[in-house]
Amino acid sequence: VMAATAAARVRAGTRRAPELWQMRWLLLFLVAEAAAATEQQVPLVLWSSDRGLWAPAADTHEGHITSDMQLSTYLDPALELGPRNVLLFLQDKLSVEDFTAHGGVFGNKQDSAFANLENALDLAPSSLVLPAVDWYAVSTLTTYLQEKLGASPLHVDLATLRELKLNASLPALLLIRLPYTASSGLMAPREVLTGNDEVIGQVLNMLKSEDVPYTAALTAVRPSRVARDIAMVAGGLGRQLLQKQPASSVIHPPVSYNDTAPRILFWAQNFSVAYRGQWEDLTSLTFGVQELNLTGSFWNDSLAR
């Protein structure tokens, strides 16, 4: 009986083996598809000379992926209520890591490759930062803007822009391909970004001198996949896209869980807990503590605690 049972198990296992392999290949395919999809997001930065187009709460956190439907809910109010002149700055490659690696540290524009962009966001009555937008939404953005404005896109550069006479009441969709992207292979990423930022600054200064109301967007065709600088992040300089740090705030080093390298980094300006209606500020007991108890923390490829 035992031999017959074992043989039956072997035969059953033999029959199920192709099914198991098919399942494994399907899982591998789905994982590969998911990995490819996660690489197809780019940041989108919006700002306007009009006030009240986006609520501050509309800013999304890094890690959230904005779909095409969500993007339309952000764009519709700006296109229906805001200026009729819309500028689309389109780079070849851009990722949120470009901002964290080459942007101004805690609002210091002197060391930033995005000085003009950051200044525009500071001065804009309305602005919106979307760290990760789905590639499909970006690929159809020009067509979407054209349909909403009822105007064909005009491919312009600085020379042709000077010759245009923009009218506040007539819709215009200006597509500006930032020039340094096509031949950037021999240039350092920071030089590419700085050159593009200078073009943005010149265009905005031109509109300002002519007192032309506008809404502008900066995005890219594909991500640049710039790797995060682990040393910079571990040193407490990591920040969200174009995030500003008030000069008066205390910068706490992160809580870091390591094995062979930093695996989990936890930041907070304030860490407090409530117990029986009483709040206790644990910030000074959590950050900058040499012997913090991290018992129970762990990290692997699928889970971090």
Side-chain angles (χ1 to χ4, degrees):
V1 175
M2 292 178 61
T5 303
R9 286 177 179 171
V10 170
R11 288 194 297 270
T14 304
R15 287 196 299 269
R16 285 198 298 268
E19 297 176 2
L20 290 174
W21 278 111
Q22 290 176 2
M23 184 177 298
R24 288 171 182 170
W25 279 112
L26 177 60
L27 289 174
L28 288 173
F29 174 77
L30 293 176
V31 169
E33 286 287 299
T38 59
E39 295 180 347
Q40 297 303 317
Q41 294 111 35
V42 293
L44 177 66
V45 184
L46 294 159
W47 69 99
S48 178
S49 58
D50 269 21
R51 188 176 304 277
L53 296 183
W54 301 287
D59 269 331
T60 61
H61 58 83
E62 184 177 348
H64 173 78
I65 300 174
T66 302
S67 66
D68 57 332
M69 295 298 293
Q70 290 173 317
L71 183 59
S72 66
T73 63
Y74 296 138
L75 291 174
D76 284 348
L79 299 176
E80 295 169 1
L81 305 176
R84 306 299 289 163
N85 294 303
V86 176
L87 287 76
L88 177 57
F89 295 98
L90 190 60
Q91 290 192 185
D92 184 42
K93 296 183 292 184
L94 186 66
S95 293
V96 65
E97 288 82 5
D98 288 312
F99 292 100
T100 54
H102 304 292
V105 178
F106 300 133
N108 182 10
K109 298 186 183 66
Q110 293 182 352
D111 65 344
S112 175
F114 302 94
N116 290 300
L117 176 61
E118 292 175 3
N119 187 61
L121 293 178
D122 286 344
L123 299 177
S126 298
S127 64
L128 178 64
V129 172
L130 303 173
V133 179
D134 181 74
W135 70 271
Y136 176 78
V138 174
S139 67
T140 59
L141 181 57
T142 303
T143 302
Y144 177 82
L145 294 174
Q146 179 178 348
E147 292 176 353
K148 294 294 292 186
L149 291 171
S152 298
L154 297 175
H155 295 256
V156 298
D157 54 22
L158 286 173
T160 55
L161 186 59
R162 292 188 182 95
E163 300 175 0
L164 288 176
K165 298 298 180 182
L166 298 176
N167 190 318
S169 60
L170 296 177
L173 175 56
L174 307 181
L175 179 59
I176 304 170
R177 291 298 297 261
L178 297 175
Y180 293 93
T181 54
S183 59
S184 61
L186 301 178
M187 299 175 64
R190 187 178 184 85
E191 295 177 6
V192 175
L193 297 170
T194 301
N196 289 337
D197 184 69
E198 291 175 357
V199 174
I200 294 175
Q202 294 174 19
V203 170
L204 298 182
N205 286 335
M206 193 178 305
L207 295 177
K208 183 179 179 180
S209 65
E210 298 179 4
D211 196 24
V212 176
Y214 69 91
T215 295
L218 168 67
T219 188
V221 177
R222 61 182 184 271
S224 59
R225 300 185 180 91
V226 174
R228 291 182 184 271
D229 187 337
I230 297 299
M232 177 183 292
V233 173
L237 298 182
R239 66 263 182 214
Q240 288 186 348
L241 177 62
L242 298 177
Q243 179 182 1
K244 301 297 185 297
Q245 179 77 9
S248 60
S249 296
V250 177
I251 302 173
H252 302 287
V255 172
S256 178
Y257 171 75
N258 310 318
D259 46 27
T260 57
R263 299 299 189 185
I264 306 172
L265 297 174
F266 170 53
W267 283 273
Q269 286 185 320
N270 177 275
F271 183 50
S272 300
V273 297
Y275 179 67
R276 294 183 176 177
Q278 297 294 322
W279 281 94
E280 292 292 336
D281 187 344
L282 303 181
T283 308
S284 61
L285 300 177
T286 305
F287 299 96
V289 180
Q290 294 296 324
E291 299 296 332
L292 190 66
N293 185 356
L294 298 177
T295 302
S297 302
F298 69 92
W299 177 92
N300 59 35
D301 290 339
S302 59
L303 183 63
R305 177 181 296 169

